[in-house]
Structures are given as C-alpha cells and as structure tokens.
Amino acid sequence: RDNAIEYIGPELRQADQVIDASRMVVYPGLINTHHHLYQLFSRNLPEVQRMELFPWLVTLYDVWKNLDEEVVATSSLVGMAELLKTGCTTCFDHHYVFPTHAGDLIGAQFAAADTLGIRMYASRGSMDLSVKDGGLPPDSVVQTVDEIMTDSARLIEKYHDTSYGAMHRIAL
C-alpha cells in the first residue's frame, strides 16, 4: 500500500486486486550498497584492464580529472539502468572525485536517478591530498577541507530528504 509492503505473516488478508504471480519470482527491490557510477564511462579502457589498484587509480585519475555533469549524468543513467534491470531499486553511490569547475556532480546523479525512478543515496566523498602532498590524485581533483565542508553542507541542504521512503539521501 502506498509503495510499501504493508504486511508479511501467516494471516490471510483480503486484497483489492490479485496479481497472478504463479510463474514469476517476486522479491523486494535489491539494494546496491557500493557503487562508483562515474567510473562506468572508463571501465573498458584497454590500458587499465590488467593493472593493480594503485597504478589503475593513478592512470584513471588522469582521465577522471575531466569529469563534468554530462559525463556523470550519462554514466549514472547507464549504471542505474543496469541495476534496475537486475532488480535493484536503490543505489548507494560513493562519489569522491570533484574536479575544479566540474559542476554539480551529485545533482547530476540525482537527476539521472529521478529520470529512471530509482532511489539514490549519494555518499559525498572527498580527497584533500594530491600527488604533491603524497597522495595519488592530481591537484585538479582534490579540494581543501574548507571546500569539502562547504560543498557537503550545500548538498545536505539541497538534496538530503529525511522523510520515510525518501528517494534522495546524502551521506558523508
């Protein structure tokens, strides 16, 4: 009722409508608990197919430094459509690459989720150590702690919905 399971148990209940699911498998929507949707557009690059994690990251950070709203929206649409095809109705995405001047990447993800009707929980990750500070990513994809905190507050204010059954939530 109202997009929620009202009752599970041994008691028989009278239904307003009966759906014959005798030749089907019926189960609640699955929940994807860890995704990096933006990585879909680069997943088939031949040069990274057999790399270990750190060389893989270093190579792809050089690609991901060019992320923008269009790339993230398209990758999110493809990734979430794949999830929906396999019965997943909630996507929890971990996004942590925010290139300078890339736009509202989390907003692009929520727009893609809304287009498909999938529940989207976005984890706003962060990186503040670039290569020059001993980290792996280039300078252009890391942020200062102040930038991270300011954007995190903005995302919570703009997108986080605390209501029951919310379609948008933010985690940090």
Side-chain angles (χ1 to χ4, degrees), residues 76-127:
S76 296
L77 279 169
V78 171
M80 288 186 277
E82 289 174 349
L83 292 172
L84 285 167
K85 282 179 62 176
T86 58
C88 183
T89 59
T90 300
C91 178
F92 189 87
D93 187 69
H94 297 258
H95 191 94
Y96 62 93
V97 177
F98 293 91
T100 309
H101 309 297
D104 186 358
L105 302 183
I106 301 294
Q109 290 187 301
F110 281 131
D114 291 346
T115 297
L116 297 171
I118 190 171
R119 178 173 281 113
M120 171 78 187
Y121 283 26
S123 177
R124 200 292 185 197
S126 56
M127 297 185 291

Side-chain angles (χ1 to χ4, degrees), residues 35 39-46 48-49 56 60 78-79 82:
H35 217 305
Q39 293 180 4
L40 266 71
F41 85 97
S42 60
R43 69 180 170 190
N44 291 317
L45 295 174
V48 298
Q49 292 303 305
W56 181 84
L60 287 174
V78 171
E82 289 174 349

Side-chain angles (χ1 to χ4, degrees), residues 11-90:
E11 222 177 274
L12 291 178
R13 300 271 179 110
Q14 188 62 38
D16 296 334
Q17 178 185 8
V18 175
I19 300 169
D20 180 2
S22 60
R23 296 182 179 266
M24 299 177 192
V25 175
V26 179
Y27 56 90
L30 302 174
I31 299 171
N32 172 299
T33 60
H34 189 121
H35 217 305
H36 296 288
L37 292 167
Y38 72 92
Q39 293 180 4
L40 266 71
F41 85 97
S42 60
R43 69 180 170 190
N44 291 317
L45 295 174
E47 62 268 26
V48 298
Q49 292 303 305
R50 289 182 168 72
M51 286 184 170
E52 296 292 325
L53 178 60
F54 285 173
W56 181 84
L57 281 169
V58 169
T59 301
L60 287 174
Y61 280 139
D62 204 43
V63 173
W64 298 335
K65 71 182 179 186
N66 298 304
L67 287 176
D68 60 21
E69 288 180 19
E70 182 181 7
V71 170
V72 169
T74 302
S75 294
S76 296
L77 279 169
V78 171
M80 288 186 277
E82 289 174 349
L83 292 172
L84 285 167
K85 282 179 62 176
T86 58
C88 183
T89 59
T90 300

Side-chain angles (χ1 to χ4, degrees), residues 151-171:
D151 191 52
S152 296
R154 177 191 70 82
L155 291 170
I156 291 167
E157 179 66 31
K158 186 169 183 177
Y159 297 112
H160 188 66
D161 181 351
T162 60
S163 64
Y164 177 78
M167 296 299 282
H168 294 176
R169 293 242 171 111
I170 297 285

Side-chain angles (χ1 to χ4, degrees), residues 3 26 46 82 86 105 115 122 125 128 141-143 147:
N3 293 320
V26 179
E82 289 174 349
T86 58
L105 302 183
T115 297
D128 67 345
V141 300
V142 300
Q143 298 172 304
E147 289 170 325

